[in-house]
Amino acid sequence: MSEISRVLQARNWMKTNEDFLSTWHAHVGYKMDLFHYFANGASVHAVASKHELSEELLQRWVDVGLEIGHLKTTLTKKIKAKPKMVRYASRQSEESVGILLTEMMELHIPTLLEYPDLMKSNSKITYLSDKFADVVAETSTLLEKAAASKILKIVKTEKPKSAIDLGCGLGGYLRQINEKYPKMELTGVEMSEEVVQKARKKLDDSITIQQGDIVEFLDSYEKQVDFIMAHNLLYYFSRDERINLYKRMSKILRNGGVISFICPIVNARWGRTFTTAFNTFMTAHENLHPLPSLEELEKDVQVANLHVKSSKPLIREGGWYLITVKKELK
């Protein structure tokens, strides 16, 4: 009986690996822009020759794609990518979400595979923010699409005259605010020089983008602001550092001003599977930190004369929440 159980368990694990194979295939297709090359139908030989690729390895990738349904064979025996793969996993498509695959396959999964060695050596690895800054900035733009309308609703309700986006990435929130409220004073702060240069090319000249550390920026900022956006930031700080960050934000925030946090939240109603995996990834790094719970965040912001006004799920599958925090009126 035990042998039968072993076989059944092995078969179950093999079955679950089919989902990973689909993700791997989509990642390679996005990385090499193969779905675009096969968008209108082409032979493996023609694509390999034109783009100087290994025909043997390309053929194996095609074999997998045909089996899992990402590709099909035409009546003329050419290989053609399914429309949804061209749409969502091609670098040429404005609707592509392939950058998420890059982050998963080149950042998250390699870290998880190191877990046995890390546990055995009781050590951690260093998150290379410079190496992945561009990838993280691109994936953040996908999150912006889900959050932008809600951020604009905050602006409409609170009517701030000025806003700062800490860790602004490519400046998507600032751009959309500027389009609807061109008289607002808008400032973005971003650590990566490469991302800053890209942001400046995308944004109106009236939006100020500063390159530098957000803590140093907050310490040196001498004015008052009505609205602060702090999205995808909290896991870069330990709990004690977060409390100090809240105090710094509160210091430059006008009475009645608002802060928006976007972050996966642990132990929340939605996205528990993702947030436990995300916490696993964070904990493997010496310069990243576990995600906060809502209870922890509510308690900690009070130290900075702030209170949580609302917390709403943004992407339920991933446990991403939009938390709105307000400074107490005096």
Side-chain angles (χ1 to χ4, degrees):
M1 190 59 138
S2 62
E3 285 300 315
I4 295 176
S5 297
R6 288 178 63 198
V7 171
L8 290 175
Q9 183 60 65
R11 291 179 64 182
N12 286 336
W13 277 334
M14 289 178 69
K15 188 68 176 176
T16 59
N17 280 337
E18 290 181 7
D19 291 335
F20 177 79
L21 188 60
S22 180
T23 302
W24 168 82
H25 188 269
H27 164 66
V28 174
Y30 171 77
K31 183 87 173 179
M32 305 299 294
D33 214 11
L34 298 176
F35 296 114
H36 174 67
Y37 298 157
F38 286 107
N40 298 315
S43 70
V44 173
H45 176 74
V47 170
S49 298
K50 182 177 181 180
H51 301 285
E52 299 181 341
L53 305 174
S54 164
E55 185 171 343
E56 182 181 21
L57 294 181
L58 179 60
Q59 182 63 61
R60 297 293 84 78
W61 178 85
V62 166
D63 292 343
V64 173
L66 292 171
E67 185 63 30
I68 63 178
H70 287 176
L71 307 171
K72 64 180 181 180
T73 304
T74 68
L75 294 175
T76 58
K77 305 302 181 182
K78 291 183 177 180
I79 303 301
K80 188 174 183 178
K82 293 288 185 69
K84 71 173 184 179
M85 301 309 297
V86 177
R87 183 178 182 181
Y88 296 120
S90 170
R91 287 179 174 272
Q92 308 296 320
S93 173
E94 293 183 356
E95 298 181 79
S96 175
V97 294
I99 195 67
L100 286 175
L101 299 171
T102 300
E103 182 172 319
M104 181 192 304
M105 297 294 290
E106 298 185 11
L107 181 57
H108 293 164
I109 289 179
T111 297
L112 297 180
L113 291 176
E114 288 194 55
Y115 245 68
D117 291 336
L118 295 176
M119 283 194 285
K120 186 175 181 179
S121 62
N122 194 24
S123 62
K124 295 188 176 185
I125 56 180
T126 301
Y127 171 66
L128 303 175
S129 56
D130 290 342
K131 180 178 179 180
F132 294 105
D134 202 38
V135 172
V136 172
E138 290 288 347
T139 56
S140 295
T141 62
L142 298 177
L143 187 61
E144 287 169 9
K145 292 180 181 179
S149 63
K150 295 174 176 59
I151 297 300
L152 289 173
K153 186 175 181 180
I154 293 174
V155 175
K156 182 179 180 180
T157 301
E158 301 293 336
K159 297 179 173 56
K161 295 181 179 178
S162 59
I164 295 173
D165 188 354
L166 301 174
C168 67
L170 298 174
Y173 296 109
L174 296 171
R175 177 180 56 78
Q176 296 200 50
I177 292 173
N178 180 252
E179 288 174 355
K180 296 206 72 171
Y181 304 95
K183 293 184 179 180
M184 276 187 65
E185 180 183 346
L186 300 174
T187 302
V189 186
E190 171 59 43
M191 175 68 78
S192 169
E193 179 64 36
E194 181 182 358
V195 174
V196 166
Q197 294 304 322
K198 288 184 177 181
R200 286 173 176 163
K201 292 178 182 179
K202 290 175 175 285
L203 301 176
D204 187 87
D205 291 341
S206 64
I207 302 173
T208 301
I209 303 294
Q210 295 193 22
Q211 188 272 326
D213 180 82
I214 64 171
V215 172
E216 294 176 1
F217 170 85
L218 291 170
D219 285 342
S220 63
Y221 195 76
E222 297 180 348
K223 297 189 292 183
Q224 294 279 284
V225 65
D226 301 312
F227 180 32
I228 298 174
M229 292 173 280
H231 304 161
N232 313 331
L233 279 182
L234 295 182
Y235 39 77
Y236 291 106
F237 300 89
S238 68
R239 185 173 184 180
D240 288 342
E241 290 170 337
R242 287 173 196 160
I243 293 174
N244 288 328
L245 185 68
Y246 303 148
K247 291 178 180 178
R248 287 180 168 94
M249 292 180 188
S250 182
K251 185 177 180 180
I252 70 168
L253 191 66
R254 286 193 178 93
N255 289 331
V258 173
I259 305 171
S260 65
F261 294 103
I262 294 178
C263 185
I265 298 295
V266 294
N267 301 325
R269 179 181 179 184
W270 303 103
R272 286 174 177 253
T273 300
F274 176 86
T275 53
T276 55
F278 207 4
N279 253 355
T280 303
F281 169 81
M282 296 298 175
T283 306
H285 292 85
E286 60 184 2
N287 53 341
L288 295 176
H289 303 277
L291 303 171
S293 66
L294 184 58
E295 292 74 18
E296 175 187 303
L297 198 152
E298 288 175 336
K299 180 180 178 180
D300 291 348
V301 298
Q302 290 178 3
V303 178
N305 196 34
L306 304 166
H307 72 274
V308 173
K309 181 181 178 182
S310 67
S311 58
K312 298 179 180 179
L314 187 60
I315 301 178
R316 294 184 176 186
E317 296 82 358
W320 289 87
Y321 276 71
L322 169 62
I323 299 103
T324 305
V325 171
K326 196 155 188 174
K327 186 172 182 178
E328 301 283 1
L329 287 168
K330 294 182 179 179

